[in-house]
């Protein structure tokens, strides 16, 4: 266990080099968010009714919480780094050391998210304060607690999906196409672009048979109090099941990839 704390420490030190990059990235990412919020304010202008069950405050809060969840859990460079490790042969050193590569990468992912969150805290907090008349707080501490649980599961799910996708580098020379396709699905089907409630009910129901809504849409709706009681527990169970399933898939893909890697003299 001590060796993984060492990995986290090294990850933090290495990531701190990019702290100004993270600060500017988080600050400039608020520009399209402001444009999106302005668009929804224009749509709701002069209307008293809700859209897909969302009031204007709930809709704006949705996007603000999406920004928070994204800052805490999004996978940025990890998948590219994993693919580069495989392509450049750096993976060989992990076959000779008593360290698990998945745990190693998870530690680096956590360290990176920690530093990014710290760097993004000031600009994101200032932006939320500027929108405070629309920002909805959790209805109680229990809701905030379940949101935190779902947030951890969201981070694990996002990491495991990206990790597994990056392992395709064992078989293909360039994984960028697969990563961009995955990003597109996550962006739309995960609820980043808009709440999935806006979609036709049949399509929204189909998407809930995939892991994508549980990467963003589900935890955000817990925060907003739109998922409660039995629906909340069922959703957390499904989210945890997806994490377990992706963990198994990641282990299987790694095992088969390493066998191919060793067979060709990696």
């Amino acid at each position: 266990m001590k060796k993984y704390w060492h990995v986290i420490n090294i990850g933090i030190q290495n990531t701190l080099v990019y702290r100004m990059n993270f600060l500017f990235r988080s600050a400039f990412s608020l520009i399209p968010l402001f444009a999106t919020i302005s668009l929804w304010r224009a749509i709701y202008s002069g209307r008293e009714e809700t859209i897909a069950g969302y009031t204007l405050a709930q809709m704006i809060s949705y996007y603000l919480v999406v920004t928070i969840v994204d800052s805490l859990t999004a996978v940025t460079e990890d998948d590219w780094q994993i693919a580069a490790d495989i392509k450049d042969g750096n993976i060989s050193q992990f076959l000779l050391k008593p360290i698990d590569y998945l745990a190693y990468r998870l530690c680096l992912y956590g360290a990176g998210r920690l530093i990014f969150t710290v760097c993004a805290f000031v600009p994101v907090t200032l932006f939320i304060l500027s929108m405070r008349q629309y920002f909805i707080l959790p209805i109680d501490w229990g809701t905030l607690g379940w949101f935190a649980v779902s947030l951890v599961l969201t981070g694990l799910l996002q990491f495991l999906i990206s990790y597994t996708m990056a392992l395709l580098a064992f078989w293909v020379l360039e994984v960028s196409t697969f990563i961009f396709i995955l990003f597109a699905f996550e962006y739309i089907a995960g609820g980043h672009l808009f709440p999935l409630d806006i979609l036709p009910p049949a399509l929204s129901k189909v998407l809930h048979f995939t892991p994508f809504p549980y990467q963003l849409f589900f935890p955000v709706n817990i925060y907003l109090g739109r998922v409660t009681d039995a629906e909340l527990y069922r959703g957390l169970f499904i989210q945890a099941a997806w994490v377990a399933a992706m963990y198994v898939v990641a282990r299987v893909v790694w095992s088969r990839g390493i066998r191919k890697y060793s067979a060709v003299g990696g």
Side-chain angles (χ1 to χ4, degrees), residues 97-132:
K97 296 179 180 179
I99 187 169
D100 180 68
Y101 187 69
L102 189 153
Y104 166 80
R105 291 304 321 185
L106 182 60
C107 289
L108 293 181
Y109 162 73
R113 287 298 88 202
L114 174 63
I115 300 303
F116 185 89
T117 300
V118 170
C119 294
F121 180 80
V122 172
V124 171
T125 300
L126 290 176
F127 187 85
I128 290 175
L129 287 175
S130 71
M131 296 284 174
R132 59 187 177 277

Side-chain angles (χ1 to χ4, degrees), residues 198-247:
I198 292 178
L199 296 172
L203 180 55
S204 178
K205 187 174 181 179
V206 169
L207 288 178
H208 276 81
F209 285 101
T210 73
F212 301 118
Y214 299 95
Q215 292 182 258
L216 192 67
F217 177 74
F218 178 68
V220 172
N221 272 275
I222 292 178
Y223 178 93
L224 294 176
R226 294 175 60 86
V227 180
T228 57
D229 301 327
E231 187 180 1
L232 168 64
Y233 303 132
R234 182 173 62 251
L236 287 171
F237 175 80
I238 294 173
Q239 190 179 29
W242 274 115
V243 171
M246 287 310 306
Y247 175 80

Side-chain angles (χ1 to χ4, degrees), residues 32-33 36-37 39-40 54 56-70 127-128 135 187 191-195 198 220 224:
L33 174 61
T36 300
I37 290 176
L39 175 62
W40 280 109
Y54 290 83
L56 174 59
Q58 287 177 322
M59 186 66 75
I60 292 177
S61 291
Y62 176 89
Y63 286 99
L64 294 175
V65 179
V66 162
T67 301
I68 295 172
V69 174
D70 201 44
F127 187 85
I128 290 175
F135 189 61
Y187 196 79
H192 197 293
L193 188 60
F194 47 73
I198 292 178
V220 172
L224 294 176

Side-chain angles (χ1 to χ4, degrees), residues 110-171:
R113 287 298 88 202
L114 174 63
I115 300 303
F116 185 89
T117 300
V118 170
C119 294
F121 180 80
V122 172
V124 171
T125 300
L126 290 176
F127 187 85
I128 290 175
L129 287 175
S130 71
M131 296 284 174
R132 59 187 177 277
Q133 69 269 34
Y134 301 110
F135 189 61
I136 298 174
L137 296 174
I139 56 177
D140 53 44
W141 286 104
T143 299
L144 189 61
W146 287 120
F147 169 69
V149 171
S150 182
L151 201 61
V152 173
L153 294 173
T154 294
L156 291 173
L157 184 58
Q158 292 214 37
F159 168 78
L160 289 169
I161 290 176
S162 295
Y163 174 87
T164 304
M165 185 63 66
L167 293 184
L168 292 178
F170 280 121
W171 291 275

